Amino acid sequence: PPRPAAPLLPVPALLPVLAALAAGAAEARATSEGQLPGAAAMGTGTPPSPSGTAFEETRLHVFTLDYPHVQIPFEITLWILLASLAKIGFHLYHKLPSIVPESCLLILVGLLLGGIIFGAEEKSPPVMNSDVFFLYLLPPIVLDAGYFMPTRLFFENFGTIFWYAVVGTLWNAIGIGISLFGICQISAFGLTDITLLQNLLFGSLISAVDPVAVLAVFENIHVNEQLYILVFGESLLNDAITVVLYNLFKSFCQMRTIKVIDIFAGIANFFIVGIGGVLIGILLGFVAAFTTRFTHKIRVIEPLFVFLYSYLSYITAEMFHLSGIMAITACAMTMNKYVEENVSQKSYTTIKYFMKMLSSVSETLIFIFMGVSTVGKNHEWNWAFVSFTLLFCLIWRALGVFVLTQIINVFRTIPLTFKDQFIIAYGGLRGAICFSLVFLLPPAVFPRKKLFITAVIVVIFFTVFIQGITIRPLVEFLDVKRSNKKQPAVSEEIYNRFFDHVKTGIEDVCGHWGHNFWRDKFKKFDNKYLRRLLIRENQPKSSIVSLYKKLEIKHAIEMAESGMISKVPSSVSLSDYHEGKIKPLSPTEMENMREILTKNLYQIRHRTMSYNRHSLAADASEKQAKEILIRRRHSLRESLRKTNSLSRERPVLAFCGVFG
Amino acid sequence: PGVPRGSAPVTSLLALAVTSEQIEHLHRRFKQLSQDQLTIRKENFDSIPDLEFNPIRGKIVHAFFDKRNLRQESDGLADEITFEDFLTIMSYFRPIEMNMDEEQLDRFRKEKLKFLFHMYDSDHDGKITLQEYRNVVEELLSGNPHLEKESARSIADGAMMEAASICVGQMGPDQVYEGITFEDFLKMWQGIDIETKMHVRFLNVDTIAHCY
């Protein structure tokens, strides 16, 4: 996202607050030390403290209230606390989140708060500082999304995503800009002072599909992964275009003459912004992976590296005015593959949960701030401009998706159906990014800035509320294919792997270099060079084996919890179990069991990671681990041959949450 | 140009909905593989360099010569295949068309799954037994030199048990699970939409890889 050229907003931005804070602190310290407040070197010009002249002593204060001292952290904490409490509130009534997406409710809360502040203080409430948004609130969300992105699906659809992101956003921006300019020419609306360039700039900032909003809405409706990745991928990749267009038009607005060379510079800028961002991300991702190779002695700070490096990639890209979103996404996707194998299980869990927590808090704060910032004196209402903006956004988006899909369908193996196109068009939600961008407009160049702000807010509210609420019934009405969240099964993994090889083989036979070919080539390169460099104990990994191990661990834990490991499962004990006459183990026994199991489970993982029998001494615990696995297999085989009351599905589902 | 002998079958090939342009491409490839002969034998597949690295290479090559895939009445393995047979095998991988109805889609899907089933079922008895399944998993994991055979076997066993629980569910005390039949196989692949996944793009075959 583009960087601010000048400080922006009307009301308490950070600087005056800091100054007041400093003044307050100086004052407090001055009074307690009995010095002359006026003589203090602050020179802030505040009146002397109410305690009187320099030589009057003050009695010892038994109880003091010093709010200015902690004002900033206090307020931040209160905001975050409020956001989290609001979230709890929504989920108390469990039907609510399924009808209305959380984002809407949060904006409503923000509106309420803004209204209260406005009413109480008679001035506009603190508007969301664009710096805070772009530097602190946006990165965690994008990091979370990028880290857990299904990379395979993303790359399979990369062409389509790229096409929509670049060409689609360009189409939207220019279309909206030009049509709005046409409307502005009609003198009846009183908009003739808005130039073409200003309209184009407005078009470019409002055409950006927002990843935060898309995530917030699509999270609940569970469309099939292909659709989700198309819309979400587009929202991530269009950041590059948005940065370029925004800066381009903004500079054009401020330049007197525009030469052809400037347009070419703009195009070149696009490539630099996009590719540069991605390169920074990948580079830092590799560095992060390399770092984690050496962290096995200090496991505790492993998660820190993940967060530090990804944030570093974001702000480095921002420093060069490249696309920070693409940088952090590329970094997260690169790190994910290698870091996962280097860090311990606990670190991995920590990373996952902390990331989710950060992104959740960020998202909540963003929506609340949007609500708060809406209330106030920043608006100028003009029926024509606002309604036509909204209309054009919808029309151009629909047209754009339709036309682009016709073209891209020629190149796709699985063409996108009409239903898909509708969902893609309808899922083009605007959100906080356009909101922040519009606040960044320099008012000197844009005398009608308030009009723009109003229009943007209306569009955002429309997309988030109306489209956000209605998309779920629409998805059901259109019978769009939903994602089937099935539980991972080893057999399925085997089939998938088998299938990949069959496809690759057939492609080799008919001499066709398809997707599979490139993926295979990358895998070979990866195995030969990258993994050796970046992963500590590099054993060739098989997804089948790792999935199998994961399931084994799950089963072993579940068996320990249900007390089956305690004795050799004889047929008597099994029938006992089936008839529900199992003897519960005493807590100390369970504790021992659990302890043995955890120790051995780590051993199992450790052992099977390095399949070299000669390096590890076969000690008793290893034998025990093997025993556990063998017994489980026996017992399960027995149970399968008998009745079906040991249903595997139920206990496994209960532990699905533990292992994610 | 260079249409193989017996051009009558070619018209039936057009019914397989492989376009004539694709047929030409594939014919060029066929000639490359067969070294300008009319038929291909198993040895000809050795000349494809990239196929060497494929862990299930054996099964893939085998699938080309499997008479069940070639829609012939008899059973067993053919010694050599003609261009028509080559196209028949390739037709299993054609993409779906937009204008197919439910019944056609279903038949399409069954065909593709049957092809896969034949790859698993190496002894042609219509069932995937435990031994055959183990064989498949071992081959799949054969690219990994550090994996013990024991692990591969236990993975296959685990998968087989999952299959049993999906397909048969409730089993009596003396029942033994014989093997995965084709109906069971269909059940297991129910969640995965094979029609869209199992295709190869024939579009840009101008970069035809060279054989030795």
Side-chain angles (χ1 to χ4, degrees):
Chain A
R3 297 321 307 131
L8 0 118
L9 351 138
V11 200
L14 242 34
L15 244 39
V17 175
L18 273 172
L21 186 66
E27 206 174 284
R29 240 177 274 131
T31 46
S32 63
E33 285 172 45
Q35 285 173 11
L36 237 189
M42 292 300 143
T44 51
T46 53
S49 65
S51 53
T53 64
F55 300 99
E56 187 177 313
E57 279 187 5
T58 56
R59 305 265 51 102
L60 191 65
H61 290 260
V62 178
F63 176 73
T64 41
L65 174 66
D66 193 0
Y67 184 62
H69 182 58
V70 295
Q71 180 172 6
I72 293 182
F74 202 85
E75 285 184 350
I76 294 177
T77 313
L78 277 185
W79 276 113
I80 299 183
L81 194 58
L82 168 79
S84 319
L85 289 175
K87 260 181 119 87
I88 297 183
F90 302 146
H91 286 275
L92 280 179
Y93 178 47
H94 60 269
K95 270 227 167 144
L96 197 57
S98 59
I99 309 174
V100 182
E102 258 179 38
S103 39
C104 306
L105 299 169
L106 288 169
I107 294 185
L108 285 175
V109 169
L111 278 175
L112 197 65
L113 262 179
I116 295 177
I117 299 182
F118 189 65
E121 293 188 20
E122 280 304 321
K123 61 178 181 211
S124 306
V127 179
M128 177 160 65
N129 189 338
S130 291
D131 260 353
V132 169
F133 173 69
F134 280 119
L135 288 183
Y136 302 114
L137 292 179
L138 185 60
I141 300 180
V142 184
L143 174 63
D144 177 40
Y147 202 77
F148 295 109
M149 177 117 79
T151 30
R152 186 173 152 144
L153 210 53
F154 180 74
F155 284 116
E156 275 178 15
N157 289 302
F158 188 73
T160 315
I161 293 177
F162 192 74
W163 179 250
Y164 279 134
V166 176
V167 181
T169 313
L170 263 177
W171 168 284
N172 275 336
I174 297 184
I176 295 177
I178 294 185
S179 22
L180 271 180
F181 181 63
I183 294 292
C184 288
Q185 296 305 94
I186 303 176
S187 49
F189 297 139
L191 299 165
T192 37
D193 56 332
I194 306 181
T195 67
L196 175 64
L197 277 174
Q198 290 180 346
N199 274 311
L200 281 174
L201 180 57
F202 183 68
S204 72
L205 68 86
I206 205 163
S207 60
V209 177
D210 187 71
V212 182
V214 166
L215 269 178
V217 168
F218 270 68
E219 187 174 41
N220 292 326
I221 57 178
H222 297 302
V223 289
N224 63 69
E225 277 99 22
Q226 162 118 338
L227 264 186
Y228 166 75
I229 203 81
L230 283 175
V231 184
F232 182 66
E234 179 195 342
S235 68
L236 282 183
L237 288 190
N238 70 14
D239 185 56
I241 276 277
T242 312
V243 172
V244 172
L245 280 181
Y246 186 84
N247 281 327
L248 191 76
F249 287 130
K250 199 160 76 153
S251 339
F252 279 3
C253 281
Q254 292 166 320
M255 282 175 9
R256 283 178 211 274
T257 51
I258 301 171
K259 305 204 183 86
V260 176
I261 189 100
D262 293 322
I263 302 196
F264 280 119
I267 298 179
N269 194 18
F270 163 67
F271 284 107
I272 294 185
V273 162
I275 298 181
V278 170
L279 279 179
I280 289 185
I282 294 184
L283 182 68
L284 280 171
F286 281 144
V287 174
F290 191 66
T291 314
T292 51
R293 186 177 167 176
F294 302 105
T295 55
H296 50 276
K297 295 281 166 61
I298 30 162
R299 296 261 182 210
V300 188
I301 62 171
E302 266 174 348
L304 198 58
F305 285 114
V306 171
F307 292 107
L308 285 179
Y309 276 110
S310 40
Y311 192 59
L312 191 65
S313 70
Y314 184 80
I315 49 184
T316 312
E318 287 293 316
M319 181 171 71
F320 290 113
H321 282 230
L322 304 174
S323 167
I325 290 186
M326 289 182 71
I328 204 174
T329 311
C331 184
M333 281 167 59
T334 317
M335 269 196 313
N336 188 17
K337 277 174 44 121
Y338 304 107
V339 165
E340 205 172 309
E341 297 191 32
N342 280 339
V343 298
S344 67
Q345 185 76 357
K346 282 192 192 156
S347 300
Y348 179 66
T349 314
T350 310
I351 293 176
K352 195 166 91 156
Y353 278 99
F354 200 67
M355 221 181 254
K356 295 270 177 210
M357 182 183 83
L358 274 182
S359 78
S360 180
V361 167
S362 283
E363 192 183 309
T364 319
L365 276 178
I366 288 177
F367 283 116
I368 287 193
F369 271 136
M370 273 214 294
V372 171
S373 311
T374 308
V375 180
K377 301 203 182 116
N378 285 324
H379 302 296
E380 181 194 329
W381 184 266
N382 179 309
W383 272 107
F385 191 76
V386 170
S387 46
F388 275 109
T389 306
L390 186 58
L391 194 65
F392 286 137
C393 279
L394 294 172
I395 293 181
W396 283 101
R397 172 95 185 148
L399 264 181
V401 168
F402 183 69
V403 169
L404 291 178
T405 314
Q406 298 307 314
I407 301 177
I408 197 77
N409 264 345
V410 174
F411 298 99
R412 280 179 66 90
T413 28
I414 314 161
L416 293 170
T417 66
F418 197 63
K419 269 191 237 166
D420 294 334
Q421 291 172 39
F422 182 76
I423 297 290
I424 293 176
Y426 207 71
L429 307 171
R430 287 19 178 216
I433 290 191
C434 350
F435 193 76
S436 313
L437 284 180
V438 82
F439 273 106
L440 282 175
L441 292 175
V445 187
F446 293 89
R448 302 298 288 268
K449 181 170 161 180
K450 290 189 180 174
L451 180 61
F452 288 169
I453 294 180
T454 314
V456 165
I457 289 184
V458 168
V459 171
I460 293 180
F461 272 41
F462 183 85
T463 53
V464 171
F465 278 89
I466 309 280
Q467 287 182 235
I469 296 181
T470 54
I471 199 170
R472 170 181 278 265
L474 268 174
V475 160
E476 283 167 10
F477 175 67
L478 288 176
D479 197 25
V480 174
K481 206 155 44 147
R482 313 293 280 269
S483 68
N484 39 3
K485 293 265 162 76
K486 284 193 315 188
Q487 174 196 333
V490 183
S491 54
E492 203 177 296
E493 189 65 30
I494 293 180
Y495 287 139
N496 280 329
R497 177 60 74 75
F498 187 78
F499 197 59
D500 279 343
H501 286 304
V502 168
K503 264 176 78 169
T504 316
I506 295 285
E507 276 181 1
D508 287 334
V509 168
C510 67
H512 169 59
W513 292 357
H515 267 147
N516 288 318
F517 175 80
W518 289 113
R519 191 172 53 222
D520 237 30
K521 272 268 179 298
F522 175 69
K523 268 209 189 122
K524 282 198 201 109
F525 172 70
D526 190 30
N527 278 329
K528 223 168 139 195
Y529 300 110
L530 293 177
R531 289 175 69 95
R532 276 223 209 111
L533 187 60
L534 300 173
I535 297 183
R536 188 174 44 247
E537 304 160 13
N538 185 20
Q539 299 302 326
K541 188 176 88 144
S542 159
S543 60
I544 298 179
V545 178
S546 34
L547 180 62
Y548 181 67
K549 276 183 311 203
K550 231 195 274 190
L551 288 179
E552 284 277 296
I553 292 176
K554 238 194 262 185
H555 288 316
I557 286 189
E558 140 216 344
M559 305 249 322
E561 301 256 309
S562 65
M564 278 192 84
I565 295 271
S566 56
K567 17 191 189 259
V568 175
S570 61
S571 43
V572 178
S573 76
L574 272 181
S575 57
D576 263 350
Y577 180 73
H578 294 320
E579 290 167 74
K581 280 192 279 173
I582 194 176
K583 276 178 284 181
L585 289 176
S586 71
T588 43
E589 274 184 65
M590 279 293 268
E591 206 40 59
N592 279 336
M593 205 55 47
R594 227 168 263 170
E595 221 177 299
I596 294 178
L597 254 171
T598 357
K599 211 166 31 158
N600 286 325
L601 284 177
Y602 190 81
Q603 285 275 24
I604 295 174
R605 184 172 188 259
H606 217 76
R607 179 179 74 101
T608 47
M609 251 167 59
S610 53
Y611 282 106
N612 194 346
R613 294 195 114 170
H614 304 295
S615 58
L616 282 181
D619 49 355
S621 50
E622 195 186 287
K623 283 207 194 120
Q624 201 165 12
K626 215 170 176 175
E627 268 294 298
I628 294 176
L629 287 177
I630 293 179
R631 275 194 212 160
R632 183 197 80 83
R633 275 201 291 277
H634 275 304
S635 69
L636 274 173
R637 220 173 261 146
E638 286 295 319
S639 67
L640 270 179
R641 294 224 186 97
K642 295 179 186 238
T643 65
N644 196 29
S645 34
L646 177 64
S647 62
R648 289 173 57 155
E649 283 83 50
R650 206 184 6 96
V652 171
L653 276 176
F655 283 87
C656 255
V658 175
F659 278 87
Chain B
V3 174
R5 224 167 286 164
S7 41
V10 180
T11 45
S12 74
L13 290 176
L14 293 179
L16 292 175
V18 182
T19 70
S20 53
E21 190 188 87
Q22 292 167 349
I23 294 184
E24 250 202 62
H25 283 310
L26 289 172
H27 186 62
R28 245 186 288 150
R29 183 62 174 170
F30 185 83
K31 281 208 334 206
Q32 237 187 354
L33 284 176
S34 67
Q35 283 148 3
D36 287 328
Q37 304 290 316
L38 282 174
T39 58
I40 294 187
R41 298 172 167 279
K42 276 215 184 130
E43 298 76 55
N44 295 109
F45 280 92
D46 292 338
S47 56
I48 305 174
D50 288 317
L51 204 55
E52 289 294 311
F53 300 106
N54 200 319
I56 52 170
R57 183 184 171 283
K59 287 215 180 326
I60 295 179
V61 174
H62 188 106
F64 273 86
F65 293 89
D66 191 336
K67 283 205 186 152
R68 296 172 294 176
N69 290 336
L70 298 174
R71 301 168 201 261
Q72 289 170 13
E73 291 310 319
S74 53
D75 206 15
L77 283 182
D79 288 325
E80 47 187 22
I81 52 172
T82 63
F83 180 57
E84 181 194 337
D85 300 324
F86 187 71
L87 273 188
T88 315
I89 302 286
M90 285 299 168
S91 73
Y92 284 105
F93 289 88
R94 68 190 190 276
I96 57 168
E97 280 127 42
M98 299 274 271
N99 50 2
M100 282 184 160
D101 59 9
E102 274 302 314
E103 195 212 305
Q104 274 181 317
L105 269 177
D106 196 47
R107 206 164 19 107
F108 206 60
R109 185 189 161 81
K110 278 223 177 83
E111 264 180 29
K112 298 194 180 215
L113 284 175
K114 197 119 193 143
F115 184 80
L116 285 179
F117 186 75
H118 291 157
M119 288 183 84
Y120 274 82
D121 180 21
S122 35
D123 62 3
H124 304 222
D125 63 353
K127 270 205 281 266
I128 305 176
T129 59
L130 184 60
Q131 192 47 49
E132 284 169 346
Y133 207 93
R134 278 188 189 154
N135 194 334
V136 169
V137 175
E138 271 168 27
E139 266 194 21
L140 268 183
L141 298 177
S142 60
N144 188 336
H146 299 273
L147 210 52
E148 322 165 342
K149 247 185 162 216
E150 167 70 31
S151 315
R153 193 168 303 173
S154 49
I155 290 175
D157 291 350
M160 200 67 176
M161 281 197 280
E162 274 174 17
S165 57
I166 295 178
C167 306
V168 187
Q170 187 95 302
M171 282 204 292
D174 295 321
Q175 230 183 326
V176 170
Y177 188 54
E178 294 246 344
I180 307 178
T181 62
F182 185 54
E183 283 71 35
D184 297 338
F185 196 69
L186 282 179
K187 241 189 270 180
M188 298 179 73
W189 281 87
Q190 221 165 27
I192 312 168
D193 54 342
I194 195 102
E195 312 88 32
T196 48
K197 282 197 184 169
M198 185 160 160
H199 60 260
V200 173
R201 288 165 62 167
F202 292 116
L203 282 176
N204 351 344
V205 201
D206 36 52
T207 46
I208 294 197
H210 294 295
C211 308
Y212 289 133

